[in-house]
Amino acid sequence: MRRTTFTATTGAAVLGLLIPLAGCGSSGEDAGDAGTLRLVAAEYGDGPGNSSKAFWEKVTTDFTKANPGLKVEVQLLPWEDIDSAVTRMVRDGKAPDMALMGSYSDFAAQGKLYSADELLSVTAEANFLQPLAEAGTVGSTLYGLPFVASSRLLFYNKALFDKAGVTSEPKTWNDLKTAAKALKDNGVKFPYAMPLGPEEAHAEALIWELSNGGGYSDNSGNYSLASDQNIQTFKWIKESLVAPGLTGPVPPSQLNRADAFAAFLRGDVGMLNGYPSLAHEARAKGISVRAVSMPVSDTLGSGETPPTVGVADWMMAFNQNGKREEIGKFLDFVYQDKNLTDFAGRYHLLPSTVSATRTPAGGGLDQNDVQFLTALRGAQLYPVNDPSWVTVSDTIKRNIGRAVEPSGDPKAVLEGIAAKATEAGRTS
């Protein structure tokens, strides 16, 4: 199972539509120099102070020094613009040589990408963490090269737990409900913050579905959006958390991830699902945050451990310009351990390769991130290797919150989403 883009950094829009990197070549779409590679990359920072520009300037400069006659120009685009921009470039015959973004399978389906075995050595291809490699594979061919990744864990505010008299971390849904009730009784604004708003509802939904033995796909890789387990999951959420007021004053269908995270950083949230960068931000603000595995349904068999949700962003190489050898040289360079760990460390994400997670090169992993890496090794990602996923994920984001509204019917909502997914599969 696979996924979409890193929403931890969607604030990049403040940086504008295009950031050409000084010293890395021209920024125009018509760059045709045979010795120049063009990379279009998402901006991971949320302002000039932590822009990805510094990383790419260093990497491209070092690459040119090691490979005289080759240079790389980098265009940084906000997350909300990059998908449409790259799609337009490809459609207009002006594809970049590489792109770093949140989806790849639609380009693979069109035959627009080089496969990993055309670019990387067998050793380099085998170095990707297994769940990420599976997510980047269409059929039996790896097209999406995972670059950085993350996983989701349940965060809770230890100080709020202590004040409410909750002495142990929740391990089951019933434990979570009991803790949420104690938090509510103690005046916590959002006992459990459930962001099922359109920003990132597909992440929250999958976390809950997996914890009940469900998910977006079955064992054959086909969508199973309206499975019995998924319907049961949303019935329980509606009846056991939303109806008793344990999810706070904002209806889940109207609560976006960014707002839930902001409330957590204000100390207004008892529990929510989060990723490494939120943990670092919370600790910097003095919040005593703890991160644990998502509690599981009380109906799961004893000893069952469902996978957590993993997320990744993808490097892809376009074959439109015929620069396979040059692209391969740059990818070999940028995927060196020191470069991956440097980039991941800047944004409290996880490098995508086995060797980079084991080496101190570039600073190594922050000790606070080790548990996220452990979770990632057994994670399930969104089905990004299905070309219809972009449409399906958008359908989930815009509709799943209705399943837990007072008048909502979880079964009808999930079956409606499943029907739209079937239609998207026919047209993809």
Side-chain angles (χ1 to χ4, degrees), residues 308-345:
T308 188
V309 168
V311 291
D313 288 332
W314 310 98
M315 182 76 78
M316 64 212 73
F318 292 91
N319 54 28
Q320 192 174 98
N321 303 317
K323 297 181 180 178
R324 181 183 64 82
E325 183 177 352
E326 295 88 345
I327 293 171
K329 287 184 178 180
F330 179 69
L331 292 179
D332 278 339
F333 188 86
V334 79
Y335 274 92
Q336 290 178 12
D337 292 345
K338 63 180 181 180
N339 293 326
L340 276 186
T341 54
D342 180 10
F343 189 89

Side-chain angles (χ1 to χ4, degrees), residues 5-160:
T5 195
F6 274 115
T7 53
T9 52
T10 51
V14 298
L15 296 171
L17 282 177
L18 174 64
I19 305 175
L21 300 193
C24 298
S26 66
S27 61
E29 290 186 4
D30 59 350
D33 184 349
T36 299
L37 295 174
R38 292 178 51 237
L39 166 64
V40 177
E43 169 59 81
Y44 282 72
D46 56 11
N50 68 346
S51 171
S52 304
K53 178 180 179 180
F55 171 83
W56 290 115
E57 282 188 332
K58 182 179 187 306
V59 165
T60 55
T61 298
D62 290 348
F63 173 72
T64 296
K65 288 179 181 178
N67 296 272
L70 289 178
K71 60 181 179 180
V72 182
E73 67 167 40
V74 181
Q75 296 176 347
L76 296 181
L77 299 180
W79 278 110
E80 56 264 45
D81 297 324
I82 191 168
D83 283 1
S84 60
V86 173
T87 297
R88 183 178 64 253
M89 293 175 192
V90 174
R91 183 193 64 214
D92 294 345
K94 298 178 179 178
D97 298 298
M98 296 162 287
L100 173 59
M101 50 196 283
S103 61
Y104 72 89
S105 59
D106 48 346
F107 300 121
Q110 298 170 45
K112 302 292 187 181
L113 300 180
Y114 286 117
S115 61
D117 60 8
E118 294 178 290
L119 302 166
L120 305 175
S121 67
V122 173
T123 302
E125 187 175 351
N127 195 24
F128 293 117
L129 292 167
Q130 183 178 354
L132 306 184
E134 291 176 356
T137 299
V138 177
S140 59
T141 303
L142 181 65
Y143 289 102
L145 310 182
F147 192 67
V148 284
S150 186
S151 59
R152 302 297 175 93
L153 294 172
L154 180 76
F155 289 14
Y156 67 90
N157 185 315
K158 181 67 164 53
L160 295 182

